[in-house]
Amino acid sequence: AAAQPGAAPRAIRAHAGGVTAVAFAPDGKSFASCGLDETVKVWSFPEGKLLATLRPESKHASNSTNDVE
């Protein structure tokens, strides 16, 4: 159910270590949260249903110039 105007905000506890950023989709129907647990979670809005969890493929990104000619 949609939140009623004037209703208290709802907390979603899903990241270990806290949230570092939140961004809403342009259509306002979902948002993403980034956490100290190195995940990005995508949520429906205003329901707060978890739609996806994204994790890094590797903790060490390659920045080698050997692959570039």
Side-chain angles (χ1 to χ4, degrees), residues 25-51:
D27 65 5
K29 294 181 180 180
S30 62
F31 66 96
S33 59
C34 179
L36 291 173
D37 57 4
E38 298 184 352
T39 64
V40 174
K41 296 183 182 259
V42 181
W43 306 88
S44 65
F45 183 79
E47 301 83 10
K49 178 182 175 188
L50 181 62
L51 302 175

Side-chain angles (χ1 to χ4, degrees), residues 45-69:
F45 183 79
E47 301 83 10
K49 178 182 175 188
L50 181 62
L51 302 175
T53 298
L54 309 172
R55 293 178 177 81
E57 289 185 32
S58 170
K59 296 222 183 227
H60 305 286
S62 175
N63 194 15
S64 173
T65 57
N66 295 336
D67 296 334
V68 179
E69 294 186 31

